[in-house]
Protein backbone atom coordinates (compact mmCIF):
# COMPACT_ATOMS: atom_id res chain seq x y z
CA UNK A 1 0.00 0.00 0.00
CA UNK A 2 1.49 3.33 -0.99
CA UNK A 3 0.63 6.70 0.58
CA UNK A 4 1.05 10.03 -1.15
CA UNK A 5 0.32 13.42 0.47
CA UNK A 6 -0.38 16.12 -2.12
CA UNK A 7 0.01 19.54 -0.56
CA UNK A 8 1.48 21.67 -3.32
CA UNK A 9 0.86 25.34 -2.51
CA UNK A 10 1.20 26.28 -6.17
CA UNK A 11 -2.12 24.58 -6.91
CA UNK A 12 -3.96 27.31 -5.02
CA UNK A 13 -2.46 29.96 -7.31
CA UNK A 14 -4.41 28.54 -10.26
CA UNK A 15 -8.13 29.24 -10.50
CA UNK A 16 -9.74 25.77 -10.54
CA UNK A 17 -13.06 26.96 -11.97
CA UNK A 18 -13.17 29.08 -15.13
CA UNK A 19 -15.85 31.67 -15.89
CA UNK A 20 -17.70 29.25 -18.18
CA UNK A 21 -17.84 26.61 -15.45
CA UNK A 22 -15.21 24.28 -16.89
CA UNK A 23 -12.56 23.12 -14.45
CA UNK A 24 -9.04 22.41 -15.70
CA UNK A 25 -10.41 21.79 -19.22
CA UNK A 26 -8.41 19.75 -21.71
CA UNK A 27 -7.48 21.18 -25.12
CA UNK A 28 -10.64 19.89 -26.79
CA UNK A 29 -13.07 20.23 -23.87
CA UNK A 30 -14.87 23.34 -25.11
CA UNK A 31 -15.19 21.93 -28.63
CA UNK A 32 -16.64 18.71 -27.27
CA UNK A 33 -19.05 20.56 -24.99
CA UNK A 34 -20.34 22.87 -27.73
CA UNK A 35 -20.66 20.37 -30.58
CA UNK A 36 -23.98 19.70 -32.30
CA UNK A 37 -25.71 16.29 -32.20
CA UNK A 38 -24.45 15.71 -35.76
CA UNK A 39 -20.89 16.49 -34.71
CA UNK A 40 -21.25 14.13 -31.74
CA UNK A 41 -22.29 11.31 -34.07
CA UNK A 42 -19.30 12.02 -36.29
CA UNK A 43 -16.98 11.97 -33.27
CA UNK A 44 -18.30 8.56 -32.23
CA UNK A 45 -17.86 7.23 -35.78
CA UNK A 46 -14.19 8.28 -35.73
CA UNK A 47 -13.74 6.57 -32.37
CA UNK A 48 -15.39 3.39 -33.65
CA UNK A 49 -13.10 3.34 -36.68
CA UNK A 50 -10.09 3.69 -34.38
CA UNK A 51 -11.32 0.70 -32.34
CA UNK A 52 -11.55 -1.38 -35.54
CA UNK A 53 -7.92 -0.53 -36.20
CA UNK A 54 -6.97 -1.62 -32.69
CA UNK A 55 -8.81 -4.93 -33.10
CA UNK A 56 -6.96 -5.59 -36.35
CA UNK A 57 -3.60 -4.67 -34.80
CA UNK A 58 -3.99 -7.17 -31.95
CA UNK A 59 -4.71 -9.93 -34.45
CA UNK A 60 -8.49 -10.03 -34.17
CA UNK A 61 -11.10 -10.01 -36.91
CA UNK A 62 -13.39 -6.97 -36.43
CA UNK A 63 -15.84 -8.57 -38.88
CA UNK A 64 -16.52 -11.71 -36.86
CA UNK A 65 -19.92 -11.94 -35.22
CA UNK A 66 -18.84 -11.29 -31.63
CA UNK A 67 -16.96 -8.12 -32.56
CA UNK A 68 -19.22 -6.57 -35.18
CA UNK A 69 -20.79 -4.08 -32.79
CA UNK A 70 -17.84 -3.76 -30.42
CA UNK A 71 -16.37 -0.60 -32.03
CA UNK A 72 -19.67 1.28 -31.73
CA UNK A 73 -20.25 0.03 -28.20
CA UNK A 74 -16.77 1.00 -27.09
CA UNK A 75 -17.02 4.44 -28.68
CA UNK A 76 -20.20 5.18 -26.75
CA UNK A 77 -18.72 3.73 -23.55
CA UNK A 78 -15.57 5.83 -23.83
CA UNK A 79 -17.62 8.98 -24.34
CA UNK A 80 -19.51 8.10 -21.15
CA UNK A 81 -16.32 7.30 -19.21
CA UNK A 82 -14.88 10.70 -20.14
CA UNK A 83 -17.97 12.90 -19.90
CA UNK A 84 -16.36 14.87 -17.08
CA UNK A 85 -14.43 16.92 -19.65
CA UNK A 86 -17.58 18.72 -20.77
CA UNK A 87 -19.30 19.11 -17.39
CA UNK A 88 -20.03 22.62 -16.10
CA UNK A 89 -19.30 22.73 -12.38
CA UNK A 90 -21.69 25.67 -11.86
CA UNK A 91 -24.54 23.66 -13.38
CA UNK A 92 -23.45 20.66 -11.33
CA UNK A 93 -23.68 22.57 -8.06
CA UNK A 94 -26.92 24.16 -9.36
CA UNK A 95 -27.17 26.86 -6.69
CA UNK A 96 -27.08 24.21 -3.93
CA UNK A 97 -24.80 26.39 -1.76
CA UNK A 98 -26.57 27.74 1.32
CA UNK A 99 -25.80 30.16 4.12
CA UNK A 100 -25.79 28.15 7.34
CA UNK A 101 -24.50 28.83 10.85
CA UNK A 102 -22.41 25.67 11.03
CA UNK A 103 -18.69 25.58 11.65
CA UNK A 104 -18.03 21.92 12.44
CA UNK A 105 -16.71 19.27 10.09
CA UNK A 106 -18.92 17.94 7.32
CA UNK A 107 -17.76 14.54 6.07
CA UNK A 108 -19.00 12.28 3.27
CA UNK A 109 -17.04 9.06 3.21
CA UNK A 110 -16.85 5.77 1.32
CA UNK A 111 -18.05 7.25 -1.97
CA UNK A 112 -17.41 4.75 -4.78
CA UNK A 113 -15.36 6.15 -7.65
CA UNK A 114 -14.24 4.90 -11.08
CA UNK A 115 -11.77 6.49 -13.47
CA UNK A 116 -9.39 5.67 -16.32
CA UNK A 117 -5.62 5.81 -15.87
CA UNK A 118 -4.23 8.21 -18.46
CA UNK A 119 -1.04 6.17 -18.84
CA UNK A 120 -2.66 2.90 -19.97
CA UNK A 121 -6.36 3.83 -20.33
CA UNK A 122 -7.39 0.99 -18.03
CA UNK A 123 -9.63 1.48 -14.99
CA UNK A 124 -8.75 2.34 -11.45
CA UNK A 125 -11.49 2.31 -8.84
CA UNK A 126 -12.03 2.68 -5.15
CA UNK A 127 -13.45 5.02 -2.53
CA UNK A 128 -13.08 8.69 -1.71
CA UNK A 129 -13.64 10.55 1.56
CA UNK A 130 -14.36 14.30 1.40
CA UNK A 131 -14.59 16.67 4.37
CA UNK A 132 -14.79 20.42 4.82
CA UNK A 133 -15.30 22.86 7.65
CA UNK A 134 -17.81 25.50 6.57
CA UNK A 135 -17.28 29.22 6.81
CA UNK A 136 -21.04 29.90 6.98
CA UNK A 137 -21.57 28.24 3.58
CA UNK A 138 -22.61 24.61 3.05
CA UNK A 139 -23.31 22.62 -0.09
CA UNK A 140 -25.82 19.85 -0.75
CA UNK A 141 -24.19 16.57 0.28
CA UNK A 142 -24.82 14.87 -3.05
CA UNK A 143 -22.87 17.66 -4.77
CA UNK A 144 -19.65 16.49 -3.12
CA UNK A 145 -20.02 13.10 -4.78
CA UNK A 146 -21.03 14.69 -8.09
CA UNK A 147 -17.99 16.98 -8.13
CA UNK A 148 -15.74 14.01 -7.40
CA UNK A 149 -17.34 12.05 -10.24
CA UNK A 150 -16.91 14.98 -12.63
CA UNK A 151 -13.14 14.84 -12.17
CA UNK A 152 -13.13 11.03 -12.22
CA UNK A 153 -14.86 10.89 -15.61
CA UNK A 154 -11.67 11.89 -17.41
CA UNK A 155 -8.31 10.34 -18.17
CA UNK A 156 -6.67 10.82 -14.79
CA UNK A 157 -3.90 10.10 -12.37
CA UNK A 158 -5.06 9.61 -8.80
CA UNK A 159 -2.69 12.18 -7.35
CA UNK A 160 -3.94 14.97 -9.59
CA UNK A 161 -7.60 14.06 -9.20
CA UNK A 162 -7.33 14.19 -5.39
CA UNK A 163 -5.93 17.71 -5.55
CA UNK A 164 -8.40 18.90 -8.19
CA UNK A 165 -11.39 17.86 -6.10
CA UNK A 166 -10.03 19.57 -2.99
CA UNK A 167 -9.06 22.85 -4.66
CA UNK A 168 -12.34 23.07 -6.58
CA UNK A 169 -14.26 22.76 -3.31
CA UNK A 170 -12.06 25.44 -1.73
CA UNK A 171 -12.95 27.79 -4.58
CA UNK A 172 -16.70 27.07 -4.56
CA UNK A 173 -17.30 27.09 -0.79
CA UNK A 174 -14.48 29.28 0.57
CA UNK A 175 -14.48 27.07 3.70
CA UNK A 176 -12.06 27.00 6.60
CA UNK A 177 -10.52 23.90 5.08
CA UNK A 178 -10.99 20.85 2.84
CA UNK A 179 -9.65 17.32 3.21
CA UNK A 180 -9.78 14.61 0.56
CA UNK A 181 -8.48 11.06 0.86
CA UNK A 182 -8.79 8.55 -1.96
CA UNK A 183 -7.97 4.83 -1.93
CA UNK A 184 -7.98 2.97 -5.24
CA UNK A 185 -6.94 -0.25 -6.90
CA UNK A 186 -5.26 0.27 -10.28
CA UNK A 187 -5.69 -2.40 -12.95
CA UNK A 188 -2.53 -1.11 -14.66
CA UNK A 189 -0.69 -2.39 -11.56
CA UNK A 190 -2.86 -5.42 -10.81
CA UNK A 191 -3.25 -6.97 -14.27
CA UNK A 192 -0.02 -5.92 -16.05
CA UNK A 193 3.46 -4.71 -15.15
CA UNK A 194 4.27 -5.93 -11.62
CA UNK A 195 0.89 -7.76 -11.51
CA UNK A 196 0.11 -7.24 -7.84
CA UNK A 197 -3.63 -7.76 -7.32
CA UNK A 198 -4.86 -6.62 -3.94
CA UNK A 199 -2.56 -3.61 -3.80
CA UNK A 200 -4.06 -0.18 -3.24
CA UNK A 201 -2.90 3.40 -3.51
CA UNK A 202 -3.88 6.12 -1.05
CA UNK A 203 -3.61 9.82 -1.88
CA UNK A 204 -4.57 12.81 0.22
CA UNK A 205 -4.91 16.56 -0.08
CA UNK A 206 -5.25 18.71 3.04
CA UNK A 207 -6.05 22.42 2.66
CA UNK A 208 -6.75 25.23 5.11
CA UNK A 209 -7.20 24.14 8.73
CA UNK A 210 -6.79 20.49 7.80
CA UNK A 211 -3.21 21.36 6.87
CA UNK A 212 -2.44 23.88 9.59
CA UNK A 213 -4.13 22.14 12.54
CA UNK A 214 -2.84 18.66 13.50
CA UNK A 215 -5.87 18.12 15.78
CA UNK A 216 -8.35 18.83 12.97
CA UNK A 217 -6.45 16.58 10.58
CA UNK A 218 -6.31 13.82 13.21
CA UNK A 219 -10.06 14.08 13.81
CA UNK A 220 -10.71 13.66 10.10
CA UNK A 221 -8.35 10.69 9.77
CA UNK A 222 -9.91 9.03 12.83
CA UNK A 223 -13.38 9.44 11.37
CA UNK A 224 -12.35 7.68 8.18
CA UNK A 225 -10.27 5.16 10.17
CA UNK A 226 -6.88 6.19 8.77
Amino acid sequence: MSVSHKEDKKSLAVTPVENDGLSWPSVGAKERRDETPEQRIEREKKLAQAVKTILTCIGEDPNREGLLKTPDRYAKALMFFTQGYERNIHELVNEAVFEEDHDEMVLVKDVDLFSLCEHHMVPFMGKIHIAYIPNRRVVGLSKLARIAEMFARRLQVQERMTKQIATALMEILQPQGVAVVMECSHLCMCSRGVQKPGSSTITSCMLGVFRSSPRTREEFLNLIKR
Side-chain angles (χ1 to χ4, degrees), residues 65-117:
E65 184 179 9
L67 294 176
L68 277 175
K69 296 184 179 180
T70 296
D72 291 332
R73 291 192 189 105
Y74 187 78
K76 288 180 172 60
L78 193 58
M79 291 296 287
F80 175 80
F81 293 152
T82 60
Q83 62 184 315
Y85 285 122
E86 56 192 278
R87 286 291 176 87
N88 182 317
I89 199 167
H90 296 314
E91 294 176 357
L92 201 66
V93 173
N94 195 26
E95 300 181 353
V97 178
F98 312 101
E99 295 290 328
E100 191 66 43
D101 186 20
H102 183 79
D103 60 359
E104 297 293 335
M105 188 184 307
V106 178
L107 168 64
V108 176
K109 68 176 188 175
D110 294 325
V111 177
D112 291 320
L113 213 60
F114 168 95
S115 190
L116 289 176
C117 165

Side-chain angles (χ1 to χ4, degrees), residues 139-162:
V139 67
L141 295 178
S142 68
K143 304 304 181 182
L144 299 176
R146 291 183 185 279
I147 289 170
E149 184 171 281
M150 183 192 80
F151 287 110
R153 295 297 186 186
R154 305 177 178 190
L155 300 184
Q156 277 285 13
V157 294
Q158 184 177 328
E159 297 90 337
R160 181 176 66 231
M161 179 164 59
T162 306

Side-chain angles (χ1 to χ4, degrees), residues 118-129:
E118 69 178 32
H119 299 143
H120 301 97
M121 289 184 67
V122 295
F124 65 92
M125 61 202 76
K127 294 185 181 295
I128 188 170
H129 317 288

Side-chain angles (χ1 to χ4, degrees), residues 12 53 92 132 209:
L12 296 179
T53 301
L92 201 66
Y132 71 98
V209 293

Side-chain angles (χ1 to χ4, degrees), residues 1-43:
M1 184 176 290
S2 60
V3 181
S4 173
H5 292 280
K6 293 298 173 181
E7 301 178 341
D8 185 0
K9 293 182 180 179
K10 292 181 180 179
S11 67
L12 296 179
V14 179
T15 300
V17 182
E18 298 191 354
N19 291 334
D20 61 2
L22 294 182
S23 187
W24 286 289
S26 62
V27 174
K30 290 181 174 64
E31 179 183 348
R32 175 172 168 175
R33 179 197 62 187
D34 298 335
E35 66 189 1
T36 65
E38 292 76 18
Q39 289 171 325
R40 176 60 59 99
I41 291 172
E42 187 60 31
R43 182 186 294 269

